[in-house]
Amino acid sequence: MPTPPTPPTGATAPRAPKPSRRRVLATMAAALPAASLPVLSSRASAAPAAAAALPGGGDLGPNVLVFDPATPNIQGKLDEIFKKQESAQFGNGRYALLFKPGTYNGLNAQIGFYTAIAGLGLSPDDTTFNGDVTVDAGWFNGNATQNFWRSAENLALRPVNGTNRWAVAQAAPFRRMHVKGGLNLAPDGYGWASGGYIADSRIDGTVSPYSQQQWYTRDSSVGGWNNAVWNMVFSGVEGAPAQSFPNPPYTTLDTTPVSREKPFLYLDGADYKVFLPEKRTNARGTTWGNGTPRGESLPLGQFYVAKPGVDAATLNAALSQGLNLLLTPGIYHVDRAIEVQRANTVVLGLGYATIVPDDGVTALKVADVDGVRLAGFLIDAGPVNSATLLEVGPEGSSASHAANPTTVQDVFLRIGGAGPGKATTSMVINSNHTIVDHTWVWRADHGDGVGWETNRADYGVRVNGDDVLATGLFVEHFNKYDVEWRGERGRTVFFQNEKAYDAPNQAAVQNGNIKGYAAYKIAEGVTTHEGWGLGSYCFYNVDPTIRQDHGFEAPNKPGVNLHDLLVVSLGGKGQYEHVINGIGDPTTGTSTVPSTVVSYP
């Protein structure tokens, strides 16, 4: 692997990524113990006359903490929340920390599990910290590979020592941030780390990933980038390193084919609104660097502000009456699918609002309509098997949404970990032109309710729609295919995968005459597909003799083109025979050196 840069004076040299990543130390990660009537625009239909209208707007609930520069003892409140959430990996706490526009001095906001911090301005520079927003791994002995489910958005930071630390793993987006200094993506002591995702952000100084195994940065600006371990991918990033995979393993696209930034809550004077950024094609750089971002705003009165305890029938009634959904922090059990039927509907979660489907239902279904935006929530499988957890478009969807696609952003799916969970296929994308922008779809490898059959989940993401784009696709540990792509003209920019650790033996993963199910399979009938910066790792710790024929499987057709592929055996626990189909050298030994293919076919 590439040699990490020399650490700062007095620092310990960065370690190579830990072979076992999470499982070996999993036992350390146990969780601690005046609404107004809706104001409807042409985007929303009128409520049925026979139904009692649900109110739009209202307060944001007890777990949304709103600060302004005059709020007393802000640091004390931040520390109080962090103490609750620092090691509560599978706890029930959910928090959003929101800061009104202004300048805040001397803060260090340490961000734990299920905690989102965000500014309430229209631009990140409206809300400035002369201080830090920090993620470290002291709770886990300096190992950052389990720093999941947290986020920072829409803030400007002037770090106290010149460099902000954001040592995260999966499901921890850094969006719409302005760092007036450097950004360190490694934990104190340069321990293991497995992230991550940056979008629509400007880092004036250098980004230093050190021990980060992989990272994806989209539509941003950086002052420099220090090193790479296995897989660093950039699209539309000003200042990104030049294309050089595999040595160093930089995959660099000048632009992002299509992007539309995540919706966000902001204050317009004293009124809360949700900003909906416009779609960009061939995007490069931030949306906000040249002044007011382009898009439209919806007043909070056009949202049903949901609180934990509300049932699916009420959420569906709000949707059918023409309201959007704002899910405040907490856990929502649903006994039927949340049904999004109307074009341009927004479902926005705050503070890692979590939807749990009961009795084997699907958590959320979207009709085959234009412009739906799903953002900022977690779906946690229940103990009764769900056929699916999230469906974008019904089976057989055929409409074109090229002008106004549906977006799925910072929507994370989990099977097991917080308790037994099962789902046959976690995320199904049937609608054409859907953009999946940063997801982590995870069959748990540690926590409660974990075992080959206990949290059975055969398929992670299945794409049936055409012209679907994934930017930042993290999918791990499924019993069969992690990603199965059946639609035409699909594209993926950055893919990170681990095969299931807990396969009991070779027979359990045998796929006919193929050893192991591919992490990323493109169906034989597909004629056009393209991907950049795709990685799969294996760690078969129950039976280290398991062989995996390949990480990637694709038809050999002129229109199917994949760039910068790698497979890695973590510590020699299982091995890959090839990278894609029968192409690429086998992995060997225990050194976690990737086998790579620069271009397929």
PDB file of all heavy atoms in Angstrom, residues 533-569:
ATOM      1  N   GLY A 533     -13.782   3.654  -9.240  1.00  0.00           N
ATOM      2  CA  GLY A 533     -13.333   3.591  -7.853  1.00  0.00           C
ATOM      3  C   GLY A 533     -14.160   2.627  -7.023  1.00  0.00           C
ATOM      4  O   GLY A 533     -14.857   3.035  -6.093  1.00  0.00           O
ATOM      5  N   LEU A 534     -14.047   1.329  -7.304  1.00  0.00           N
ATOM      6  CA  LEU A 534     -14.886   0.310  -6.686  1.00  0.00           C
ATOM      7  C   LEU A 534     -14.004  -0.671  -5.907  1.00  0.00           C
ATOM      8  O   LEU A 534     -13.055  -1.229  -6.467  1.00  0.00           O
ATOM      9  CB  LEU A 534     -15.688  -0.449  -7.741  1.00  0.00           C
ATOM     10  CG  LEU A 534     -16.362   0.397  -8.841  1.00  0.00           C
ATOM     11  CD1 LEU A 534     -17.062  -0.496  -9.857  1.00  0.00           C
ATOM     12  CD2 LEU A 534     -17.351   1.386  -8.244  1.00  0.00           C
ATOM     13  N   GLY A 535     -14.319  -0.892  -4.632  1.00  0.00           N
ATOM     14  CA  GLY A 535     -13.497  -1.765  -3.796  1.00  0.00           C
ATOM     15  C   GLY A 535     -14.313  -2.769  -3.010  1.00  0.00           C
ATOM     16  O   GLY A 535     -15.391  -2.455  -2.504  1.00  0.00           O
ATOM     17  N   SER A 536     -13.794  -3.994  -2.886  1.00  0.00           N
ATOM     18  CA  SER A 536     -14.425  -5.038  -2.077  1.00  0.00           C
ATOM     19  C   SER A 536     -13.364  -5.713  -1.226  1.00  0.00           C
ATOM     20  O   SER A 536     -12.256  -5.995  -1.702  1.00  0.00           O
ATOM     21  CB  SER A 536     -15.118  -6.074  -2.969  1.00  0.00           C
ATOM     22  OG  SER A 536     -15.671  -7.117  -2.195  1.00  0.00           O
ATOM     23  N   TYR A 537     -13.712  -5.972   0.062  1.00  0.00           N
ATOM     24  CA  TYR A 537     -12.784  -6.603   0.999  1.00  0.00           C
ATOM     25  C   TYR A 537     -13.433  -7.859   1.561  1.00  0.00           C
ATOM     26  O   TYR A 537     -14.659  -7.917   1.728  1.00  0.00           O
ATOM     27  CB  TYR A 537     -12.451  -5.686   2.186  1.00  0.00           C
ATOM     28  CG  TYR A 537     -12.308  -4.204   1.911  1.00  0.00           C
ATOM     29  CD1 TYR A 537     -12.637  -3.273   2.893  1.00  0.00           C
ATOM     30  CD2 TYR A 537     -11.834  -3.720   0.691  1.00  0.00           C
ATOM     31  CE1 TYR A 537     -12.505  -1.906   2.678  1.00  0.00           C
ATOM     32  CE2 TYR A 537     -11.695  -2.354   0.471  1.00  0.00           C
ATOM     33  CZ  TYR A 537     -12.038  -1.450   1.453  1.00  0.00           C
ATOM     34  OH  TYR A 537     -11.907  -0.103   1.237  1.00  0.00           O
ATOM     35  N   CYS A 538     -12.614  -8.847   1.879  1.00  0.00           N
ATOM     36  CA  CYS A 538     -13.152 -10.023   2.564  1.00  0.00           C
ATOM     37  C   CYS A 538     -12.430 -10.233   3.887  1.00  0.00           C
ATOM     38  O   CYS A 538     -11.240  -9.940   4.024  1.00  0.00           O
ATOM     39  CB  CYS A 538     -13.072 -11.277   1.698  1.00  0.00           C
ATOM     40  SG  CYS A 538     -11.422 -11.991   1.471  1.00  0.00           S
ATOM     41  N   PHE A 539     -13.188 -10.728   4.860  1.00  0.00           N
ATOM     42  CA  PHE A 539     -12.649 -11.085   6.171  1.00  0.00           C
ATOM     43  C   PHE A 539     -13.490 -12.239   6.711  1.00  0.00           C
ATOM     44  O   PHE A 539     -14.362 -12.069   7.547  1.00  0.00           O
ATOM     45  CB  PHE A 539     -12.676  -9.888   7.131  1.00  0.00           C
ATOM     46  CG  PHE A 539     -12.102 -10.175   8.487  1.00  0.00           C
ATOM     47  CD1 PHE A 539     -10.746 -10.373   8.650  1.00  0.00           C
ATOM     48  CD2 PHE A 539     -12.921 -10.242   9.602  1.00  0.00           C
ATOM     49  CE1 PHE A 539     -10.212 -10.640   9.901  1.00  0.00           C
ATOM     50  CE2 PHE A 539     -12.401 -10.508  10.862  1.00  0.00           C
ATOM     51  CZ  PHE A 539     -11.052 -10.705  11.006  1.00  0.00           C
ATOM     52  N   TYR A 540     -13.254 -13.422   6.158  1.00  0.00           N
ATOM     53  CA  TYR A 540     -14.019 -14.609   6.551  1.00  0.00           C
ATOM     54  C   TYR A 540     -13.399 -15.188   7.826  1.00  0.00           C
ATOM     55  O   TYR A 540     -12.614 -16.133   7.797  1.00  0.00           O
ATOM     56  CB  TYR A 540     -14.008 -15.631   5.417  1.00  0.00           C
ATOM     57  CG  TYR A 540     -14.850 -15.228   4.227  1.00  0.00           C
ATOM     58  CD1 TYR A 540     -14.277 -15.000   2.976  1.00  0.00           C
ATOM     59  CD2 TYR A 540     -16.224 -15.078   4.342  1.00  0.00           C
ATOM     60  CE1 TYR A 540     -15.057 -14.651   1.880  1.00  0.00           C
ATOM     61  CE2 TYR A 540     -17.014 -14.725   3.249  1.00  0.00           C
ATOM     62  CZ  TYR A 540     -16.426 -14.510   2.025  1.00  0.00           C
ATOM     63  OH  TYR A 540     -17.198 -14.156   0.940  1.00  0.00           O
ATOM     64  N   ASN A 541     -13.773 -14.601   8.937  1.00  0.00           N
ATOM     65  CA  ASN A 541     -13.097 -14.971  10.184  1.00  0.00           C
ATOM     66  C   ASN A 541     -13.647 -16.253  10.797  1.00  0.00           C
ATOM     67  O   ASN A 541     -12.987 -16.854  11.652  1.00  0.00           O
ATOM     68  CB  ASN A 541     -13.163 -13.822  11.201  1.00  0.00           C
ATOM     69  CG  ASN A 541     -14.572 -13.488  11.644  1.00  0.00           C
ATOM     70  OD1 ASN A 541     -15.525 -13.714  10.916  1.00  0.00           O
ATOM     71  ND2 ASN A 541     -14.704 -12.932  12.837  1.00  0.00           N
ATOM     72  N   VAL A 542     -14.857 -16.696  10.411  1.00  0.00           N
ATOM     73  CA  VAL A 542     -15.370 -17.972  10.925  1.00  0.00           C
ATOM     74  C   VAL A 542     -14.681 -19.128  10.215  1.00  0.00           C
ATOM     75  O   VAL A 542     -14.286 -20.115  10.857  1.00  0.00           O
ATOM     76  CB  VAL A 542     -16.901 -18.040  10.751  1.00  0.00           C
ATOM     77  CG1 VAL A 542     -17.428 -19.420  11.160  1.00  0.00           C
ATOM     78  CG2 VAL A 542     -17.578 -16.947  11.574  1.00  0.00           C
ATOM     79  N   ASP A 543     -14.507 -19.008   8.901  1.00  0.00           N
ATOM     80  CA  ASP A 543     -13.790 -20.014   8.124  1.00  0.00           C
ATOM     81  C   ASP A 543     -12.813 -19.311   7.196  1.00  0.00           C
ATOM     82  O   ASP A 543     -13.160 -18.944   6.070  1.00  0.00           O
ATOM     83  CB  ASP A 543     -14.765 -20.878   7.324  1.00  0.00           C
ATOM     84  CG  ASP A 543     -14.060 -21.971   6.525  1.00  0.00           C
ATOM     85  OD1 ASP A 543     -12.809 -22.050   6.579  1.00  0.00           O
ATOM     86  OD2 ASP A 543     -14.760 -22.742   5.835  1.00  0.00           O
ATOM     87  N   PRO A 544     -11.584 -19.119   7.645  1.00  0.00           N
ATOM     88  CA  PRO A 544     -10.601 -18.376   6.841  1.00  0.00           C
ATOM     89  C   PRO A 544     -10.180 -19.078   5.560  1.00  0.00           C
ATOM     90  O   PRO A 544      -9.474 -18.482   4.739  1.00  0.00           O
ATOM     91  CB  PRO A 544      -9.406 -18.223   7.793  1.00  0.00           C
ATOM     92  CG  PRO A 544      -9.967 -18.422   9.162  1.00  0.00           C
ATOM     93  CD  PRO A 544     -11.070 -19.401   8.998  1.00  0.00           C
ATOM     94  N   THR A 545     -10.629 -20.329   5.344  1.00  0.00           N
ATOM     95  CA  THR A 545     -10.251 -21.036   4.111  1.00  0.00           C
ATOM     96  C   THR A 545     -11.191 -20.705   2.949  1.00  0.00           C
ATOM     97  O   THR A 545     -10.962 -21.182   1.835  1.00  0.00           O
ATOM     98  CB  THR A 545     -10.265 -22.552   4.344  1.00  0.00           C
ATOM     99  OG1 THR A 545     -11.620 -23.004   4.552  1.00  0.00           O
ATOM    100  CG2 THR A 545      -9.408 -22.940   5.548  1.00  0.00           C
ATOM    101  N   ILE A 546     -12.235 -19.919   3.181  1.00  0.00           N
ATOM    102  CA  ILE A 546     -13.187 -19.605   2.112  1.00  0.00           C
ATOM    103  C   ILE A 546     -12.477 -18.856   0.979  1.00  0.00           C
ATOM    104  O   ILE A 546     -11.697 -17.936   1.211  1.00  0.00           O
ATOM    105  CB  ILE A 546     -14.367 -18.781   2.664  1.00  0.00           C
ATOM    106  CG1 ILE A 546     -15.249 -19.659   3.574  1.00  0.00           C
ATOM    107  CG2 ILE A 546     -15.205 -18.189   1.527  1.00  0.00           C
ATOM    108  CD1 ILE A 546     -16.369 -18.907   4.254  1.00  0.00           C
ATOM    109  N   ARG A 547     -12.789 -19.263  -0.237  1.00  0.00           N
ATOM    110  CA  ARG A 547     -12.279 -18.592  -1.430  1.00  0.00           C
ATOM    111  C   ARG A 547     -13.434 -17.889  -2.141  1.00  0.00           C
ATOM    112  O   ARG A 547     -14.532 -18.426  -2.254  1.00  0.00           O
ATOM    113  CB  ARG A 547     -11.639 -19.594  -2.397  1.00  0.00           C
ATOM    114  CG  ARG A 547     -10.608 -20.532  -1.767  1.00  0.00           C
ATOM    115  CD  ARG A 547      -9.354 -19.832  -1.359  1.00  0.00           C
ATOM    116  NE  ARG A 547      -8.614 -19.275  -2.485  1.00  0.00           N
ATOM    117  CZ  ARG A 547      -7.389 -18.765  -2.378  1.00  0.00           C
ATOM    118  NH1 ARG A 547      -6.772 -18.725  -1.189  1.00  0.00           N
ATOM    119  NH2 ARG A 547      -6.769 -18.278  -3.434  1.00  0.00           N
ATOM    120  N   GLN A 548     -13.160 -16.701  -2.604  1.00  0.00           N
ATOM    121  CA  GLN A 548     -14.139 -15.877  -3.315  1.00  0.00           C
ATOM    122  C   GLN A 548     -13.627 -15.746  -4.739  1.00  0.00           C
ATOM    123  O   GLN A 548     -12.525 -15.228  -4.972  1.00  0.00           O
ATOM    124  CB  GLN A 548     -14.221 -14.516  -2.614  1.00  0.00           C
ATOM    125  CG  GLN A 548     -15.123 -13.504  -3.225  1.00  0.00           C
ATOM    126  CD  GLN A 548     -16.548 -13.566  -2.710  1.00  0.00           C
ATOM    127  OE1 GLN A 548     -16.802 -14.102  -1.634  1.00  0.00           O
ATOM    128  NE2 GLN A 548     -17.471 -13.050  -3.487  1.00  0.00           N
ATOM    129  N   ASP A 549     -14.402 -16.220  -5.729  1.00  0.00           N
ATOM    130  CA  ASP A 549     -13.910 -16.186  -7.106  1.00  0.00           C
ATOM    131  C   ASP A 549     -13.561 -14.769  -7.553  1.00  0.00           C
ATOM    132  O   ASP A 549     -12.548 -14.560  -8.227  1.00  0.00           O
ATOM    133  CB  ASP A 549     -14.954 -16.773  -8.054  1.00  0.00           C
ATOM    134  CG  ASP A 549     -14.677 -18.241  -8.377  1.00  0.00           C
ATOM    135  OD1 ASP A 549     -13.551 -18.696  -8.136  1.00  0.00           O
ATOM    136  OD2 ASP A 549     -15.589 -18.922  -8.863  1.00  0.00           O
ATOM    137  N   HIS A 550     -14.391 -13.795  -7.183  1.00  0.00           N
ATOM    138  CA  HIS A 550     -14.148 -12.415  -7.607  1.00  0.00           C
ATOM    139  C   HIS A 550     -15.002 -11.483  -6.763  1.00  0.00           C
ATOM    140  O   HIS A 550     -16.016 -11.871  -6.189  1.00  0.00           O
ATOM    141  CB  HIS A 550     -14.470 -12.218  -9.092  1.00  0.00           C
ATOM    142  CG  HIS A 550     -15.752 -12.850  -9.535  1.00  0.00           C
ATOM    143  ND1 HIS A 550     -15.808 -13.858 -10.479  1.00  0.00           N
ATOM    144  CD2 HIS A 550     -17.035 -12.653  -9.145  1.00  0.00           C
ATOM    145  CE1 HIS A 550     -17.067 -14.226 -10.652  1.00  0.00           C
ATOM    146  NE2 HIS A 550     -17.831 -13.497  -9.854  1.00  0.00           N
ATOM    147  N   GLY A 551     -14.582 -10.223  -6.700  1.00  0.00           N
ATOM    148  CA  GLY A 551     -15.387  -9.216  -6.029  1.00  0.00           C
ATOM    149  C   GLY A 551     -16.444  -8.628  -6.942  1.00  0.00           C
ATOM    150  O   GLY A 551     -17.480  -8.158  -6.470  1.00  0.00           O
ATOM    151  N   PHE A 552     -16.196  -8.641  -8.262  1.00  0.00           N
ATOM    152  CA  PHE A 552     -17.065  -7.987  -9.234  1.00  0.00           C
ATOM    153  C   PHE A 552     -17.387  -8.955 -10.359  1.00  0.00           C
ATOM    154  O   PHE A 552     -16.528  -9.738 -10.791  1.00  0.00           O
ATOM    155  CB  PHE A 552     -16.379  -6.730  -9.788  1.00  0.00           C
ATOM    156  CG  PHE A 552     -16.010  -5.754  -8.708  1.00  0.00           C
ATOM    157  CD1 PHE A 552     -14.774  -5.828  -8.071  1.00  0.00           C
ATOM    158  CD2 PHE A 552     -16.913  -4.794  -8.287  1.00  0.00           C
ATOM    159  CE1 PHE A 552     -14.445  -4.964  -7.049  1.00  0.00           C
ATOM    160  CE2 PHE A 552     -16.589  -3.924  -7.257  1.00  0.00           C
ATOM    161  CZ  PHE A 552     -15.353  -4.010  -6.633  1.00  0.00           C
ATOM    162  N   GLU A 553     -18.628  -8.890 -10.824  1.00  0.00           N
ATOM    163  CA  GLU A 553     -19.089  -9.763 -11.905  1.00  0.00           C
ATOM    164  C   GLU A 553     -19.845  -8.913 -12.902  1.00  0.00           C
ATOM    165  O   GLU A 553     -20.758  -8.160 -12.518  1.00  0.00           O
ATOM    166  CB  GLU A 553     -19.980 -10.865 -11.335  1.00  0.00           C
ATOM    167  CG  GLU A 553     -20.440 -11.891 -12.336  1.00  0.00           C
ATOM    168  CD  GLU A 553     -21.265 -12.995 -11.694  1.00  0.00           C
ATOM    169  OE1 GLU A 553     -21.126 -13.222 -10.469  1.00  0.00           O
ATOM    170  OE2 GLU A 553     -22.068 -13.623 -12.409  1.00  0.00           O
ATOM    171  N   ALA A 554     -19.461  -9.010 -14.183  1.00  0.00           N
ATOM    172  CA  ALA A 554     -20.060  -8.133 -15.191  1.00  0.00           C
ATOM    173  C   ALA A 554     -20.056  -8.833 -16.540  1.00  0.00           C
ATOM    174  O   ALA A 554     -19.166  -9.641 -16.837  1.00  0.00           O
ATOM    175  CB  ALA A 554     -19.274  -6.828 -15.284  1.00  0.00           C
ATOM    176  N   PRO A 555     -21.041  -8.523 -17.391  1.00  0.00           N
ATOM    177  CA  PRO A 555     -21.003  -9.052 -18.753  1.00  0.00           C
ATOM    178  C   PRO A 555     -19.853  -8.437 -19.537  1.00  0.00           C
ATOM    179  O   PRO A 555     -19.470  -7.290 -19.299  1.00  0.00           O
ATOM    180  CB  PRO A 555     -22.358  -8.629 -19.337  1.00  0.00           C
ATOM    181  CG  PRO A 555     -22.811  -7.485 -18.506  1.00  0.00           C
ATOM    182  CD  PRO A 555     -22.232  -7.685 -17.146  1.00  0.00           C
ATOM    183  N   ASN A 556     -19.302  -9.207 -20.445  1.00  0.00           N
ATOM    184  CA  ASN A 556     -18.196  -8.729 -21.268  1.00  0.00           C
ATOM    185  C   ASN A 556     -18.788  -8.117 -22.532  1.00  0.00           C
ATOM    186  O   ASN A 556     -18.937  -8.777 -23.560  1.00  0.00           O
ATOM    187  CB  ASN A 556     -17.250  -9.887 -21.596  1.00  0.00           C
ATOM    188  CG  ASN A 556     -16.006  -9.412 -22.337  1.00  0.00           C
ATOM    189  OD1 ASN A 556     -15.788  -8.218 -22.499  1.00  0.00           O
ATOM    190  ND2 ASN A 556     -15.200 -10.358 -22.801  1.00  0.00           N
ATOM    191  N   LYS A 557     -19.158  -6.845 -22.433  1.00  0.00           N
ATOM    192  CA  LYS A 557     -19.791  -6.146 -23.543  1.00  0.00           C
ATOM    193  C   LYS A 557     -19.143  -4.773 -23.705  1.00  0.00           C
ATOM    194  O   LYS A 557     -18.696  -4.176 -22.716  1.00  0.00           O
ATOM    195  CB  LYS A 557     -21.286  -5.992 -23.291  1.00  0.00           C
ATOM    196  CG  LYS A 557     -22.014  -7.330 -23.186  1.00  0.00           C
ATOM    197  CD  LYS A 557     -23.487  -7.161 -22.881  1.00  0.00           C
ATOM    198  CE  LYS A 557     -24.168  -8.520 -22.781  1.00  0.00           C
ATOM    199  NZ  LYS A 557     -25.606  -8.387 -22.414  1.00  0.00           N
ATOM    200  N   PRO A 558     -19.096  -4.254 -24.930  1.00  0.00           N
ATOM    201  CA  PRO A 558     -18.393  -2.979 -25.158  1.00  0.00           C
ATOM    202  C   PRO A 558     -18.915  -1.833 -24.316  1.00  0.00           C
ATOM    203  O   PRO A 558     -18.152  -0.923 -23.964  1.00  0.00           O
ATOM    204  CB  PRO A 558     -18.615  -2.720 -26.646  1.00  0.00           C
ATOM    205  CG  PRO A 558     -18.910  -4.054 -27.242  1.00  0.00           C
ATOM    206  CD  PRO A 558     -19.616  -4.842 -26.182  1.00  0.00           C
ATOM    207  N   GLY A 559     -20.193  -1.829 -23.983  1.00  0.00           N
ATOM    208  CA  GLY A 559     -20.764  -0.719 -23.235  1.00  0.00           C
ATOM    209  C   GLY A 559     -20.626  -0.830 -21.733  1.00  0.00           C
ATOM    210  O   GLY A 559     -21.048   0.079 -21.009  1.00  0.00           O
ATOM    211  N   VAL A 560     -20.061  -1.931 -21.236  1.00  0.00           N
ATOM    212  CA  VAL A 560     -19.864  -2.113 -19.793  1.00  0.00           C
ATOM    213  C   VAL A 560     -18.406  -1.809 -19.485  1.00  0.00           C
ATOM    214  O   VAL A 560     -17.504  -2.553 -19.891  1.00  0.00           O
ATOM    215  CB  VAL A 560     -20.239  -3.537 -19.351  1.00  0.00           C
ATOM    216  CG1 VAL A 560     -19.938  -3.734 -17.866  1.00  0.00           C
ATOM    217  CG2 VAL A 560     -21.706  -3.808 -19.647  1.00  0.00           C
ATOM    218  N   ASN A 561     -18.165  -0.696 -18.775  1.00  0.00           N
ATOM    219  CA  ASN A 561     -16.807  -0.232 -18.523  1.00  0.00           C
ATOM    220  C   ASN A 561     -16.656   0.130 -17.057  1.00  0.00           C
ATOM    221  O   ASN A 561     -17.400   0.964 -16.528  1.00  0.00           O
ATOM    222  CB  ASN A 561     -16.499   1.006 -19.377  1.00  0.00           C
ATOM    223  CG  ASN A 561     -16.499   0.689 -20.863  1.00  0.00           C
ATOM    224  OD1 ASN A 561     -15.528   0.139 -21.371  1.00  0.00           O
ATOM    225  ND2 ASN A 561     -17.584   1.020 -21.548  1.00  0.00           N
ATOM    226  N   LEU A 562     -15.698  -0.498 -16.405  1.00  0.00           N
ATOM    227  CA  LEU A 562     -15.419  -0.245 -14.998  1.00  0.00           C
ATOM    228  C   LEU A 562     -13.964   0.181 -14.856  1.00  0.00           C
ATOM    229  O   LEU A 562     -13.069  -0.373 -15.504  1.00  0.00           O
ATOM    230  CB  LEU A 562     -15.691  -1.494 -14.156  1.00  0.00           C
ATOM    231  CG  LEU A 562     -17.130  -2.041 -14.237  1.00  0.00           C
ATOM    232  CD1 LEU A 562     -17.253  -3.334 -13.445  1.00  0.00           C
ATOM    233  CD2 LEU A 562     -18.136  -1.014 -13.751  1.00  0.00           C
ATOM    234  N   HIS A 563     -13.745   1.171 -13.993  1.00  0.00           N
ATOM    235  CA  HIS A 563     -12.423   1.769 -13.859  1.00  0.00           C
ATOM    236  C   HIS A 563     -11.972   1.699 -12.394  1.00  0.00           C
ATOM    237  O   HIS A 563     -12.743   1.994 -11.478  1.00  0.00           O
ATOM    238  CB  HIS A 563     -12.455   3.242 -14.295  1.00  0.00           C
ATOM    239  CG  HIS A 563     -13.211   3.485 -15.568  1.00  0.00           C
ATOM    240  ND1 HIS A 563     -12.647   3.322 -16.806  1.00  0.00           N
ATOM    241  CD2 HIS A 563     -14.496   3.866 -15.792  1.00  0.00           C
ATOM    242  CE1 HIS A 563     -13.537   3.600 -17.738  1.00  0.00           C
ATOM    243  NE2 HIS A 563     -14.668   3.934 -17.149  1.00  0.00           N
ATOM    244  N   ASP A 564     -10.737   1.328 -12.179  1.00  0.00           N
ATOM    245  CA  ASP A 564     -10.092   1.412 -10.870  1.00  0.00           C
ATOM    246  C   ASP A 564     -10.796   0.520  -9.845  1.00  0.00           C
ATOM    247  O   ASP A 564     -11.470   0.970  -8.926  1.00  0.00           O
ATOM    248  CB  ASP A 564     -10.037   2.861 -10.379  1.00  0.00           C
ATOM    249  CG  ASP A 564      -9.245   3.757 -11.322  1.00  0.00           C
ATOM    250  OD1 ASP A 564      -8.702   3.247 -12.322  1.00  0.00           O
ATOM    251  OD2 ASP A 564      -9.171   4.966 -11.059  1.00  0.00           O
ATOM    252  N   LEU A 565     -10.600  -0.789 -10.020  1.00  0.00           N
ATOM    253  CA  LEU A 565     -11.191  -1.804  -9.159  1.00  0.00           C
ATOM    254  C   LEU A 565     -10.133  -2.376  -8.238  1.00  0.00           C
ATOM    255  O   LEU A 565      -8.965  -2.516  -8.624  1.00  0.00           O
ATOM    256  CB  LEU A 565     -11.775  -2.943  -9.997  1.00  0.00           C
ATOM    257  CG  LEU A 565     -12.694  -2.573 -11.161  1.00  0.00           C
ATOM    258  CD1 LEU A 565     -13.002  -3.807 -11.988  1.00  0.00           C
ATOM    259  CD2 LEU A 565     -13.974  -1.961 -10.648  1.00  0.00           C
ATOM    260  N   LEU A 566     -10.543  -2.765  -7.023  1.00  0.00           N
ATOM    261  CA  LEU A 566      -9.610  -3.443  -6.132  1.00  0.00           C
ATOM    262  C   LEU A 566     -10.354  -4.430  -5.253  1.00  0.00           C
ATOM    263  O   LEU A 566     -11.531  -4.255  -4.931  1.00  0.00           O
ATOM    264  CB  LEU A 566      -8.854  -2.448  -5.244  1.00  0.00           C
ATOM    265  CG  LEU A 566      -9.640  -1.730  -4.159  1.00  0.00           C
ATOM    266  CD1 LEU A 566      -8.789  -1.522  -2.920  1.00  0.00           C
ATOM    267  CD2 LEU A 566     -10.142  -0.374  -4.651  1.00  0.00           C
ATOM    268  N   VAL A 567      -9.649  -5.486  -4.874  1.00  0.00           N
ATOM    269  CA  VAL A 567     -10.106  -6.420  -3.843  1.00  0.00           C
ATOM    270  C   VAL A 567      -8.980  -6.580  -2.836  1.00  0.00           C
ATOM    271  O   VAL A 567      -7.795  -6.498  -3.178  1.00  0.00           O
ATOM    272  CB  VAL A 567     -10.523  -7.785  -4.424  1.00  0.00           C
ATOM    273  CG1 VAL A 567     -11.751  -7.640  -5.329  1.00  0.00           C
ATOM    274  CG2 VAL A 567      -9.376  -8.456  -5.167  1.00  0.00           C
ATOM    275  N   VAL A 568      -9.356  -6.799  -1.569  1.00  0.00           N
ATOM    276  CA  VAL A 568      -8.386  -6.901  -0.473  1.00  0.00           C
ATOM    277  C   VAL A 568      -8.808  -8.040   0.443  1.00  0.00           C
ATOM    278  O   VAL A 568      -9.978  -8.129   0.834  1.00  0.00           O
ATOM    279  CB  VAL A 568      -8.307  -5.600   0.351  1.00  0.00           C
ATOM    280  CG1 VAL A 568      -7.311  -5.740   1.494  1.00  0.00           C
ATOM    281  CG2 VAL A 568      -7.936  -4.411  -0.522  1.00  0.00           C
ATOM    282  N   SER A 569      -7.864  -8.887   0.792  1.00  0.00           N
ATOM    283  CA  SER A 569      -8.073  -9.856   1.869  1.00  0.00           C
ATOM    284  C   SER A 569      -7.558  -9.234   3.160  1.00  0.00           C
ATOM    285  O   SER A 569      -6.387  -8.845   3.251  1.00  0.00           O
ATOM    286  CB  SER A 569      -7.320 -11.151   1.585  1.00  0.00           C
ATOM    287  OG  SER A 569      -7.325 -11.983   2.732  1.00  0.00           O
TER     288      SER A 569
END
